[in-house]
Amino acid sequence: TSLRVSVASVCSAIMSDKAKEAELSTKMASLPLGDHSHEPPISKAVGSAEKGDLSTAPSGGTKGRRRNRSRSLSQSSNDSYSTSSYTGSSSDEEEGSPREKEQVTASGFTDFCVKNLRQAEFGRREIDIAEQEMPGIVALRERAGKDLPLKGAKIVGCTHINAQTAVLLETLAALGAHVRWAACNIFSTQNEVAAALAEKGFSVFAWRGETEEDFWWCIDKTVNTENWQPNLILDDGGDATHLMIKKYPAMFKMVKGVCEESVTGVHRLYQLSKAGKLNVPAMNVNDSVTKTMFDNFYACRESIIDSLKRSTDVMFSGKQVLVAGYGEVGKGCCQALKGLGCIVYVTEIDPICALQACMDGVRTVKLGEVIRHVDIVITATGNKNVVTREHMDKMKNGCIVCNMGHSNTEIDVNSLRTPELTWEKVRSQVDHIIWPDGKRIILLAEGRLVNLSLSSVPSINVSITSCTQALALIELFNAPLNRYKSDVYLLPKKMDEYVASLHLPMFDAHLSELSDDQAKYLGLSKAGPFKPNYYRY
């Protein structure tokens, strides 16, 4: 009986609420369209675009109604501009530049420039989390820490600055190196991680949302300072190498070697070598098997989905996607997108890669053949002007455009900064570019690396890359005179296999061993290397 009474009372309450809702709806319906007198007040800082601009003509008419650009007032929109459109950057801008601030750590250290030193404790927790998923680089630190193979090394670093990179920096320092670091991308820096590194005494010059001038200033600060002659460069994209050659050629000639991890940077090194302008040996880490396969393929396969979901909330099933380039990055992107039900197209200049795409069930096309009806365009070539203004003029309304290649040259973003187009900031690193007829495309990270600007890369993949970088630096620093000439070298196969072996315990994997007879039959050492350099994994 008591249960019946309880249920009855609940039903009665629900019916009462419905009656109140009906009464409120009737009252609201009687209001003239555009009357917002009953709306709760909204902070002026949010702006009319955030409220949803529904201003209309005088009462009774809808003529002259402005286009609705409504957005929910979620936490993610709190960093938005107060107007519905703007012309400029979508970076997270705060009052003033870090270059104008005087910052001092608790220990009195001042040789750094970061966004907000107060975030150091938060950044330290991020680094601790990353370290748990980076068994290889941690194992290398423990095994080589007593020998200090980098004692006396002075390293200029220009890479993405995130929690995973911080683990590499602390490993290099534990191996005896003195490092100075800048970012290779203006949008990929984790400010809290940069703060944590500065608080620990690292000379870090980087913050998220740097201007181009800031970008080169930061790299210059890592190279040019009192009582500092770098003898190693760890580069991602070749910017630090480029700056030293152009601005400090005498200093560059005293460097023992360069370690480069990107397709673009390696391409630059080979160009320098061919032109006779590379005066020091360089290690091509990008084309080591562990870097190419696990960072370029496996990491991009996961991070492309994560970055698109976080930034646009898009559903992939049935979407038509164009991926420019079917290298390791393009292959990873295509595999992930196909797995979620996308119709995937690829553009390629290389007939071998194009044939691979065909065999993988991906249609190979020219960009102009499909540009009018694709929903997402992803560049992954390392080239320039792959997607031009002409292409973007032909794109459908709502097309998402982003880049997975290293640099910001693949999408011609500068051609979009014209008076007839309106830039509307939606979220951090997400812009609507609006044409005069109302068509809009969604541009992510202003054409820069989308996965490192809007997402995160799996820590274990960075651990693998970090190990190859650390070993390359150790090799270049300790190599006898004249072992390496002024040329570009691949990481020795034995080191590649060692990097892989450092990560197997995380998966509880157990390697088989060759018997003496088997090793003799194959003509191999029982300790490796197990494959010739020409072997295709």
Side-chain angles (χ1 to χ4, degrees):
T1 304
S2 60
L3 180 60
R4 291 195 195 100
V5 172
S6 177
V7 171
S9 62
V10 171
C11 292
S12 175
I14 292 173
M15 294 302 291
S16 175
D17 287 343
K18 287 185 176 181
K20 290 177 181 178
E21 288 179 11
E23 182 182 353
L24 180 60
S25 297
T26 303
K27 289 181 178 180
M28 291 298 290
S30 65
L31 290 175
L33 186 62
D35 187 343
H36 293 180
S37 59
H38 294 272
E39 287 185 354
I42 299 178
S43 170
K44 292 182 180 179
V46 176
S48 61
E50 316 251 341
K51 291 186 279 185
D53 196 340
L54 295 175
S55 302
T56 65
S59 178
T62 59
K63 187 176 181 180
R65 181 184 300 176
R66 290 203 295 267
R67 187 166 40 207
N68 180 7
R69 291 177 182 170
S70 174
R71 279 217 330 268
S72 63
L73 295 176
S74 63
Q75 184 63 35
S76 65
S77 69
N78 288 346
D79 61 355
S80 301
Y81 285 79
S82 60
T83 55
S84 60
S85 65
Y86 73 104
T87 302
S89 170
S90 69
S91 58
D92 294 323
E93 297 176 10
E94 291 182 7
E95 299 296 328
S97 167
R99 292 166 59 178
E100 301 168 1
K101 301 177 183 177
E102 291 185 8
Q103 301 183 69
V104 184
T105 67
S107 62
F109 183 64
T110 60
D111 189 18
F112 66 93
C113 188
V114 298
K115 194 75 167 181
N116 187 352
L117 195 59
R118 290 174 296 179
Q119 294 180 323
E121 187 178 346
F122 173 35
R124 176 50 51 187
R125 292 196 294 271
E126 292 278 328
I127 296 169
D128 291 342
I129 292 171
E131 198 170 277
Q132 295 173 20
E133 282 285 312
M134 300 181 72
I137 194 68
V138 172
L140 181 63
R141 183 194 304 176
E142 293 172 351
R143 294 185 187 187
K146 295 180 181 179
D147 299 328
L148 297 179
L150 289 174
K151 185 176 181 180
K154 296 181 178 180
I155 304 172
V156 164
C158 183
T159 67
H160 303 286
I161 296 182
N162 49 33
Q164 294 83 5
T165 306
V167 179
L168 171 62
L169 263 70
E170 294 181 350
T171 298
L172 296 176
L175 300 183
H178 180 200
V179 304
R180 297 177 68 83
W181 226 264
C184 68
N185 185 300
I186 65 173
F187 290 144
S188 65
T189 298
Q190 287 182 274
N191 287 330
E192 66 276 12
V193 171
L197 288 170
E199 188 63 54
K200 199 170 180 180
F202 286 94
S203 297
V204 174
F205 301 86
W207 57 93
R208 190 179 184 91
E210 298 169 356
T211 64
E212 288 291 330
E213 181 188 353
D214 291 334
F215 174 78
W216 292 109
W217 178 86
C218 287
I219 298 176
D220 192 271
K221 290 290 289 183
T222 66
V223 175
N224 184 29
T225 189
E226 292 184 17
N227 303 318
W228 170 257
Q229 167 57 55
N231 49 30
L232 289 171
I233 300 173
L234 177 53
D235 222 345
D236 185 344
D239 292 318
T241 304
H242 172 79
L243 181 137
M244 285 191 71
I245 291 174
K246 293 289 185 181
K247 197 171 181 179
Y248 307 105
M251 188 181 292
F252 181 72
K253 290 179 181 178
M254 298 177 69
V255 169
K256 284 192 171 185
V258 176
C259 175
E260 173 59 57
E261 71 153 323
S262 76
V263 174
T264 304
V266 166
H267 181 63
R268 288 178 174 179
L269 287 176
Y270 282 118
Q271 286 180 323
L272 288 170
S273 179
K274 187 176 181 180
K277 297 180 180 179
L278 185 65
N279 303 314
V280 302
M283 197 71 79
N284 171 6
V285 169
N286 179 73
D287 290 317
S288 63
V289 176
T290 45
K291 166 66 169 66
T292 300
M293 183 172 292
F294 298 103
D295 192 4
N296 293 4
F297 177 74
Y298 288 108
C300 292
R301 185 175 67 175
E302 295 198 18
S303 59
I304 182 61
I305 300 300
D306 187 32
S307 53
L308 286 169
K309 280 286 189 186
R310 289 193 195 202
S311 57
T312 66
D313 305 314
V314 65
M315 184 171 183
F316 293 100
S317 297
K319 290 289 191 300
Q320 298 191 58
V321 184
L322 185 284
V323 178
Y326 203 65
E328 294 302 318
V329 173
K331 289 181 177 73
C333 293
C334 288
Q335 190 175 110
L337 292 162
K338 280 187 66 180
L340 289 174
C342 290
I343 301 166
V344 182
Y345 305 98
V346 160
T347 64
E348 251 304 338
I349 59 169
D350 186 326
I352 296 175
C353 293
L355 184 58
Q356 283 183 301
C358 294
M359 293 290 189
D360 290 338
V362 180
R363 186 181 168 196
T364 306
V365 299
K366 290 184 177 181
L367 190 57
E369 297 172 0
V370 296
I371 196 63
R372 293 183 184 277
H373 59 260
V374 291
D375 302 291
I376 303 171
V377 176
I378 302 166
T379 55
T381 68
N383 205 339
K384 64 180 291 188
N385 294 334
V386 177
V387 176
T388 64
R389 173 63 185 272
E390 183 181 358
H391 293 131
M392 290 182 278
D393 284 339
K394 295 176 182 178
M395 288 177 182
K396 67 190 290 188
N397 183 50
C399 183
I400 300 169
V401 184
C402 65
N403 172 43
M404 283 289 285
H406 170 77
S407 191
N408 63 332
T409 58
E410 301 202 33
I411 302 166
D412 187 8
V413 175
N414 287 333
S415 69
L416 299 174
R417 302 188 187 280
T418 55
E420 75 272 15
L421 299 183
T422 300
W423 284 58
E424 178 184 73
K425 181 174 182 179
V426 183
R427 295 173 175 170
S428 175
Q429 312 303 309
V430 182
D431 293 302
H432 282 177
I433 316 299
I434 307 172
W435 268 250
D437 64 357
K439 184 196 89 170
R440 66 181 66 198
I441 66 170
I442 303 168
L443 178 65
L444 305 184
E446 295 187 20
R448 297 179 184 271
L449 256 178
V450 68
N451 60 340
L452 281 163
S453 299
L454 288 159
S455 175
S456 60
V457 176
S459 294
I460 188 170
N461 294 97
V462 184
S463 177
I464 293 168
T465 300
S466 296
C467 282
T468 62
Q469 291 170 319
L471 289 173
L473 291 170
I474 292 170
E475 174 67 14
L476 289 169
F477 185 68
N478 294 284
L481 192 65
N482 298 323
R483 174 182 287 181
Y484 296 107
K485 298 178 182 179
S486 298
D487 206 347
V488 185
Y489 295 86
L490 286 171
L491 192 73
K493 177 74 70 174
K494 185 65 179 172
M495 290 189 184
D496 243 342
E497 293 178 351
Y498 180 61
V499 169
S501 69
L502 287 173
H503 293 83
L504 289 176
M506 183 179 183
F507 302 98
D508 194 26
H510 306 278
L511 284 173
S512 302
E513 295 182 11
L514 293 172
S515 66
D516 292 337
D517 187 49
Q518 288 174 325
K520 183 178 179 181
Y521 178 77
L522 293 174
L524 299 175
S525 166
K526 293 177 67 174
F530 298 99
K531 300 288 190 299
N533 287 331
Y534 57 79
Y535 182 81
R536 304 294 181 190
Y537 288 85

mmCIF file with all atom_site columns, all heavy atoms in Angstrom, residues 9 65 79 134 177 183 261 278-279 292 294 320 340 369 401 409 528 537:
data_model
loop_
_atom_site.group_PDB
_atom_site.id
_atom_site.type_symbol
_atom_site.label_atom_id
_atom_site.label_alt_id
_atom_site.label_comp_id
_atom_site.label_asym_id
_atom_site.label_entity_id
_atom_site.label_seq_id
_atom_site.pdbx_PDB_ins_code
_atom_site.Cartn_x
_atom_site.Cartn_y
_atom_site.Cartn_z
_atom_site.occupancy
_atom_site.B_iso_or_equiv
_atom_site.pdbx_formal_charge
_atom_site.auth_seq_id
_atom_site.auth_comp_id
_atom_site.auth_asym_id
_atom_site.auth_atom_id
_atom_site.pdbx_PDB_model_num
ATOM 1   N N   . SER A 1 9   ? 2.168  9.562   -5.627  1.00 0.00 ? 9   SER A N   1
ATOM 2   C CA  . SER A 1 9   ? 2.635  10.920  -5.331  1.00 0.00 ? 9   SER A CA  1
ATOM 3   C C   . SER A 1 9   ? 3.649  11.388  -6.361  1.00 0.00 ? 9   SER A C   1
ATOM 4   O O   . SER A 1 9   ? 3.662  12.544  -6.768  1.00 0.00 ? 9   SER A O   1
ATOM 5   C CB  . SER A 1 9   ? 3.233  10.978  -3.922  1.00 0.00 ? 9   SER A CB  1
ATOM 6   O OG  . SER A 1 9   ? 4.364  10.121  -3.835  1.00 0.00 ? 9   SER A OG  1
ATOM 7   N N   . ARG A 1 65  ? 16.512 39.551  -40.592 1.00 0.00 ? 65  ARG A N   1
ATOM 8   C CA  . ARG A 1 65  ? 17.081 38.764  -39.494 1.00 0.00 ? 65  ARG A CA  1
ATOM 9   C C   . ARG A 1 65  ? 18.520 38.392  -39.823 1.00 0.00 ? 65  ARG A C   1
ATOM 10  O O   . ARG A 1 65  ? 18.806 37.926  -40.900 1.00 0.00 ? 65  ARG A O   1
ATOM 11  C CB  . ARG A 1 65  ? 16.265 37.493  -39.280 1.00 0.00 ? 65  ARG A CB  1
ATOM 12  C CG  . ARG A 1 65  ? 16.803 36.641  -38.136 1.00 0.00 ? 65  ARG A CG  1
ATOM 13  C CD  . ARG A 1 65  ? 16.035 35.334  -38.018 1.00 0.00 ? 65  ARG A CD  1
ATOM 14  N NE  . ARG A 1 65  ? 14.620 35.582  -37.766 1.00 0.00 ? 65  ARG A NE  1
ATOM 15  C CZ  . ARG A 1 65  ? 13.727 34.613  -37.703 1.00 0.00 ? 65  ARG A CZ  1
ATOM 16  N NH1 . ARG A 1 65  ? 14.080 33.359  -37.882 1.00 0.00 ? 65  ARG A NH1 1
ATOM 17  N NH2 . ARG A 1 65  ? 12.455 34.900  -37.479 1.00 0.00 ? 65  ARG A NH2 1
ATOM 18  N N   . ASP A 1 79  ? 37.251 30.945  -24.033 1.00 0.00 ? 79  ASP A N   1
ATOM 19  C CA  . ASP A 1 79  ? 38.407 31.656  -24.568 1.00 0.00 ? 79  ASP A CA  1
ATOM 20  C C   . ASP A 1 79  ? 38.088 32.305  -25.915 1.00 0.00 ? 79  ASP A C   1
ATOM 21  O O   . ASP A 1 79  ? 38.973 32.722  -26.628 1.00 0.00 ? 79  ASP A O   1
ATOM 22  C CB  . ASP A 1 79  ? 39.596 30.702  -24.727 1.00 0.00 ? 79  ASP A CB  1
ATOM 23  C CG  . ASP A 1 79  ? 39.300 29.573  -25.696 1.00 0.00 ? 79  ASP A CG  1
ATOM 24  O OD1 . ASP A 1 79  ? 38.151 29.488  -26.149 1.00 0.00 ? 79  ASP A OD1 1
ATOM 25  O OD2 . ASP A 1 79  ? 40.221 28.790  -25.993 1.00 0.00 ? 79  ASP A OD2 1
ATOM 26  N N   . MET A 1 134 ? 56.155 5.242   -21.007 1.00 0.00 ? 134 MET A N   1
ATOM 27  C CA  . MET A 1 134 ? 57.380 5.376   -21.800 1.00 0.00 ? 134 MET A CA  1
ATOM 28  C C   . MET A 1 134 ? 58.482 4.474   -21.233 1.00 0.00 ? 134 MET A C   1
ATOM 29  O O   . MET A 1 134 ? 59.521 4.949   -20.762 1.00 0.00 ? 134 MET A O   1
ATOM 30  C CB  . MET A 1 134 ? 57.827 6.839   -21.840 1.00 0.00 ? 134 MET A CB  1
ATOM 31  C CG  . MET A 1 134 ? 56.796 7.774   -22.446 1.00 0.00 ? 134 MET A CG  1
ATOM 32  S SD  . MET A 1 134 ? 57.320 9.505   -22.528 1.00 0.00 ? 134 MET A SD  1
ATOM 33  C CE  . MET A 1 134 ? 58.547 9.443   -23.826 1.00 0.00 ? 134 MET A CE  1
ATOM 34  N N   . ALA A 1 177 ? 74.000 15.483  -20.228 1.00 0.00 ? 177 ALA A N   1
ATOM 35  C CA  . ALA A 1 177 ? 73.940 16.592  -21.185 1.00 0.00 ? 177 ALA A CA  1
ATOM 36  C C   . ALA A 1 177 ? 73.416 17.872  -20.543 1.00 0.00 ? 177 ALA A C   1
ATOM 37  O O   . ALA A 1 177 ? 72.671 17.851  -19.561 1.00 0.00 ? 177 ALA A O   1
ATOM 38  C CB  . ALA A 1 177 ? 73.058 16.216  -22.374 1.00 0.00 ? 177 ALA A CB  1
ATOM 39  N N   . ALA A 1 183 ? 60.439 25.264  -29.215 1.00 0.00 ? 183 ALA A N   1
ATOM 40  C CA  . ALA A 1 183 ? 59.396 24.479  -29.877 1.00 0.00 ? 183 ALA A CA  1
ATOM 41  C C   . ALA A 1 183 ? 59.543 24.560  -31.386 1.00 0.00 ? 183 ALA A C   1
ATOM 42  O O   . ALA A 1 183 ? 59.929 25.597  -31.929 1.00 0.00 ? 183 ALA A O   1
ATOM 43  C CB  . ALA A 1 183 ? 58.017 24.973  -29.456 1.00 0.00 ? 183 ALA A CB  1
ATOM 44  N N   . GLU A 1 261 ? 64.407 14.254  -36.967 1.00 0.00 ? 261 GLU A N   1
ATOM 45  C CA  . GLU A 1 261 ? 63.376 13.222  -36.845 1.00 0.00 ? 261 GLU A CA  1
ATOM 46  C C   . GLU A 1 261 ? 62.168 13.393  -37.763 1.00 0.00 ? 261 GLU A C   1
ATOM 47  O O   . GLU A 1 261 ? 61.226 12.602  -37.685 1.00 0.00 ? 261 GLU A O   1
ATOM 48  C CB  . GLU A 1 261 ? 62.882 13.142  -35.393 1.00 0.00 ? 261 GLU A CB  1
ATOM 49  C CG  . GLU A 1 261 ? 62.051 14.325  -34.942 1.00 0.00 ? 261 GLU A CG  1
ATOM 50  C CD  . GLU A 1 261 ? 61.079 13.962  -33.835 1.00 0.00 ? 261 GLU A CD  1
ATOM 51  O OE1 . GLU A 1 261 ? 60.525 12.847  -33.874 1.00 0.00 ? 261 GLU A OE1 1
ATOM 52  O OE2 . GLU A 1 261 ? 60.882 14.789  -32.945 1.00 0.00 ? 261 GLU A OE2 1
ATOM 53  N N   . LEU A 1 278 ? 76.378 21.208  -45.893 1.00 0.00 ? 278 LEU A N   1
ATOM 54  C CA  . LEU A 1 278 ? 76.278 20.511  -44.613 1.00 0.00 ? 278 LEU A CA  1
ATOM 55  C C   . LEU A 1 278 ? 77.696 20.238  -44.111 1.00 0.00 ? 278 LEU A C   1
ATOM 56  O O   . LEU A 1 278 ? 78.378 19.347  -44.605 1.00 0.00 ? 278 LEU A O   1
ATOM 57  C CB  . LEU A 1 278 ? 75.494 19.206  -44.780 1.00 0.00 ? 278 LEU A CB  1
ATOM 58  C CG  . LEU A 1 278 ? 75.197 18.424  -43.502 1.00 0.00 ? 278 LEU A CG  1
ATOM 59  C CD1 . LEU A 1 278 ? 74.278 19.224  -42.585 1.00 0.00 ? 278 LEU A CD1 1
ATOM 60  C CD2 . LEU A 1 278 ? 74.546 17.082  -43.835 1.00 0.00 ? 278 LEU A CD2 1
ATOM 61  N N   . ASN A 1 279 ? 78.127 21.008  -43.136 1.00 0.00 ? 279 ASN A N   1
ATOM 62  C CA  . ASN A 1 279 ? 79.506 20.927  -42.673 1.00 0.00 ? 279 ASN A CA  1
ATOM 63  C C   . ASN A 1 279 ? 79.716 19.949  -41.526 1.00 0.00 ? 279 ASN A C   1
ATOM 64  O O   . ASN A 1 279 ? 80.831 19.805  -41.030 1.00 0.00 ? 279 ASN A O   1
ATOM 65  C CB  . ASN A 1 279 ? 79.982 22.321  -42.225 1.00 0.00 ? 279 ASN A CB  1
ATOM 66  C CG  . ASN A 1 279 ? 79.852 23.341  -43.334 1.00 0.00 ? 279 ASN A CG  1
ATOM 67  O OD1 . ASN A 1 279 ? 80.227 23.075  -44.468 1.00 0.00 ? 279 ASN A OD1 1
ATOM 68  N ND2 . ASN A 1 279 ? 79.305 24.510  -43.012 1.00 0.00 ? 279 ASN A ND2 1
ATOM 69  N N   . THR A 1 292 ? 59.838 5.348   -38.224 1.00 0.00 ? 292 THR A N   1
ATOM 70  C CA  . THR A 1 292 ? 58.924 5.399   -39.358 1.00 0.00 ? 292 THR A CA  1
ATOM 71  C C   . THR A 1 292 ? 57.659 4.591   -39.107 1.00 0.00 ? 292 THR A C   1
ATOM 72  O O   . THR A 1 292 ? 56.541 5.054   -39.339 1.00 0.00 ? 292 THR A O   1
ATOM 73  C CB  . THR A 1 292 ? 59.621 4.867   -40.626 1.00 0.00 ? 292 THR A CB  1
ATOM 74  O OG1 . THR A 1 292 ? 60.747 5.686   -40.894 1.00 0.00 ? 292 THR A OG1 1
ATOM 75  C CG2 . THR A 1 292 ? 58.680 4.892   -41.820 1.00 0.00 ? 292 THR A CG2 1
ATOM 76  N N   . PHE A 1 294 ? 56.437 3.092   -36.103 1.00 0.00 ? 294 PHE A N   1
ATOM 77  C CA  . PHE A 1 294 ? 55.660 3.230   -34.874 1.00 0.00 ? 294 PHE A CA  1
ATOM 78  C C   . PHE A 1 294 ? 55.196 4.663   -34.616 1.00 0.00 ? 294 PHE A C   1
ATOM 79  O O   . PHE A 1 294 ? 54.118 4.876   -34.076 1.00 0.00 ? 294 PHE A O   1
ATOM 80  C CB  . PHE A 1 294 ? 56.456 2.689   -33.685 1.00 0.00 ? 294 PHE A CB  1
ATOM 81  C CG  . PHE A 1 294 ? 56.761 1.231   -33.831 1.00 0.00 ? 294 PHE A CG  1
ATOM 82  C CD1 . PHE A 1 294 ? 58.025 0.807   -34.209 1.00 0.00 ? 294 PHE A CD1 1
ATOM 83  C CD2 . PHE A 1 294 ? 55.781 0.279   -33.640 1.00 0.00 ? 294 PHE A CD2 1
ATOM 84  C CE1 . PHE A 1 294 ? 58.309 -0.542  -34.369 1.00 0.00 ? 294 PHE A CE1 1
ATOM 85  C CE2 . PHE A 1 294 ? 56.045 -1.071  -33.805 1.00 0.00 ? 294 PHE A CE2 1
ATOM 86  C CZ  . PHE A 1 294 ? 57.310 -1.484  -34.174 1.00 0.00 ? 294 PHE A CZ  1
ATOM 87  N N   . GLN A 1 320 ? 32.998 11.183  -46.681 1.00 0.00 ? 320 GLN A N   1
ATOM 88  C CA  . GLN A 1 320 ? 33.959 11.057  -47.771 1.00 0.00 ? 320 GLN A CA  1
ATOM 89  C C   . GLN A 1 320 ? 35.207 11.862  -47.401 1.00 0.00 ? 320 GLN A C   1
ATOM 90  O O   . GLN A 1 320 ? 35.117 13.071  -47.147 1.00 0.00 ? 320 GLN A O   1
ATOM 91  C CB  . GLN A 1 320 ? 33.365 11.554  -49.081 1.00 0.00 ? 320 GLN A CB  1
ATOM 92  C CG  . GLN A 1 320 ? 32.148 10.746  -49.523 1.00 0.00 ? 320 GLN A CG  1
ATOM 93  C CD  . GLN A 1 320 ? 31.729 11.085  -50.941 1.00 0.00 ? 320 GLN A CD  1
ATOM 94  O OE1 . GLN A 1 320 ? 32.506 10.945  -51.873 1.00 0.00 ? 320 GLN A OE1 1
ATOM 95  N NE2 . GLN A 1 320 ? 30.491 11.526  -51.091 1.00 0.00 ? 320 GLN A NE2 1
ATOM 96  N N   . LEU A 1 340 ? 36.370 3.214   -39.426 1.00 0.00 ? 340 LEU A N   1
ATOM 97  C CA  . LEU A 1 340 ? 35.192 3.866   -38.857 1.00 0.00 ? 340 LEU A CA  1
ATOM 98  C C   . LEU A 1 340 ? 34.110 4.115   -39.907 1.00 0.00 ? 340 LEU A C   1
ATOM 99  O O   . LEU A 1 340 ? 33.156 4.850   -39.657 1.00 0.00 ? 340 LEU A O   1
ATOM 100 C CB  . LEU A 1 340 ? 35.597 5.184   -38.194 1.00 0.00 ? 340 LEU A CB  1
ATOM 101 C CG  . LEU A 1 340 ? 36.388 5.025   -36.893 1.00 0.00 ? 340 LEU A CG  1
ATOM 102 C CD1 . LEU A 1 340 ? 36.861 6.379   -36.380 1.00 0.00 ? 340 LEU A CD1 1
ATOM 103 C CD2 . LEU A 1 340 ? 35.552 4.333   -35.824 1.00 0.00 ? 340 LEU A CD2 1
ATOM 104 N N   . GLU A 1 369 ? 39.284 16.019  -58.868 1.00 0.00 ? 369 GLU A N   1
ATOM 105 C CA  . GLU A 1 369 ? 38.194 15.114  -59.232 1.00 0.00 ? 369 GLU A CA  1
ATOM 106 C C   . GLU A 1 369 ? 37.148 14.963  -58.134 1.00 0.00 ? 369 GLU A C   1
ATOM 107 O O   . GLU A 1 369 ? 35.988 14.664  -58.422 1.00 0.00 ? 369 GLU A O   1
ATOM 108 C CB  . GLU A 1 369 ? 38.757 13.735  -59.591 1.00 0.00 ? 369 GLU A CB  1
ATOM 109 C CG  . GLU A 1 369 ? 39.669 13.722  -60.807 1.00 0.00 ? 369 GLU A CG  1
ATOM 110 C CD  . GLU A 1 369 ? 40.349 12.374  -61.013 1.00 0.00 ? 369 GLU A CD  1
ATOM 111 O OE1 . GLU A 1 369 ? 40.104 11.440  -60.210 1.00 0.00 ? 369 GLU A OE1 1
ATOM 112 O OE2 . GLU A 1 369 ? 41.125 12.261  -61.965 1.00 0.00 ? 369 GLU A OE2 1
ATOM 113 N N   . VAL A 1 401 ? 39.152 20.908  -43.081 1.00 0.00 ? 401 VAL A N   1
ATOM 114 C CA  . VAL A 1 401 ? 40.461 20.922  -43.729 1.00 0.00 ? 401 VAL A CA  1
ATOM 115 C C   . VAL A 1 401 ? 41.541 20.927  -42.654 1.00 0.00 ? 401 VAL A C   1
ATOM 116 O O   . VAL A 1 401 ? 41.522 21.778  -41.747 1.00 0.00 ? 401 VAL A O   1
ATOM 117 C CB  . VAL A 1 401 ? 40.630 22.160  -44.642 1.00 0.00 ? 401 VAL A CB  1
ATOM 118 C CG1 . VAL A 1 401 ? 41.963 22.099  -45.382 1.00 0.00 ? 401 VAL A CG1 1
ATOM 119 C CG2 . VAL A 1 401 ? 39.469 22.273  -45.616 1.00 0.00 ? 401 VAL A CG2 1
ATOM 120 N N   . THR A 1 409 ? 52.939 24.401  -44.624 1.00 0.00 ? 409 THR A N   1
ATOM 121 C CA  . THR A 1 409 ? 52.994 24.836  -46.016 1.00 0.00 ? 409 THR A CA  1
ATOM 122 C C   . THR A 1 409 ? 52.037 24.083  -46.930 1.00 0.00 ? 409 THR A C   1
ATOM 123 O O   . THR A 1 409 ? 51.824 24.485  -48.066 1.00 0.00 ? 409 THR A O   1
ATOM 124 C CB  . THR A 1 409 ? 54.423 24.661  -46.566 1.00 0.00 ? 409 THR A CB  1
ATOM 125 O OG1 . THR A 1 409 ? 54.803 23.283  -46.444 1.00 0.00 ? 409 THR A OG1 1
ATOM 126 C CG2 . THR A 1 409 ? 55.412 25.517  -45.802 1.00 0.00 ? 409 THR A CG2 1
ATOM 127 N N   . GLY A 1 528 ? 72.099 -10.430 -33.241 1.00 0.00 ? 528 GLY A N   1
ATOM 128 C CA  . GLY A 1 528 ? 71.617 -9.491  -34.254 1.00 0.00 ? 528 GLY A CA  1
ATOM 129 C C   . GLY A 1 528 ? 72.762 -8.674  -34.832 1.00 0.00 ? 528 GLY A C   1
ATOM 130 O O   . GLY A 1 528 ? 73.914 -8.862  -34.450 1.00 0.00 ? 528 GLY A O   1
ATOM 131 N N   . TYR A 1 537 ? 60.170 -3.898  -43.758 1.00 0.00 ? 537 TYR A N   1
ATOM 132 C CA  . TYR A 1 537 ? 59.338 -4.407  -42.667 1.00 0.00 ? 537 TYR A CA  1
ATOM 133 C C   . TYR A 1 537 ? 57.864 -4.245  -43.012 1.00 0.00 ? 537 TYR A C   1
ATOM 134 O O   . TYR A 1 537 ? 57.476 -3.294  -43.670 1.00 0.00 ? 537 TYR A O   1
ATOM 135 C CB  . TYR A 1 537 ? 59.661 -3.661  -41.377 1.00 0.00 ? 537 TYR A CB  1
ATOM 136 C CG  . TYR A 1 537 ? 61.011 -4.041  -40.804 1.00 0.00 ? 537 TYR A CG  1
ATOM 137 C CD1 . TYR A 1 537 ? 62.177 -3.421  -41.241 1.00 0.00 ? 537 TYR A CD1 1
ATOM 138 C CD2 . TYR A 1 537 ? 61.110 -5.027  -39.830 1.00 0.00 ? 537 TYR A CD2 1
ATOM 139 C CE1 . TYR A 1 537 ? 63.409 -3.763  -40.725 1.00 0.00 ? 537 TYR A CE1 1
ATOM 140 C CE2 . TYR A 1 537 ? 62.347 -5.378  -39.306 1.00 0.00 ? 537 TYR A CE2 1
ATOM 141 C CZ  . TYR A 1 537 ? 63.494 -4.749  -39.757 1.00 0.00 ? 537 TYR A CZ  1
ATOM 142 O OH  . TYR A 1 537 ? 64.714 -5.106  -39.238 1.00 0.00 ? 537 TYR A OH  1
#
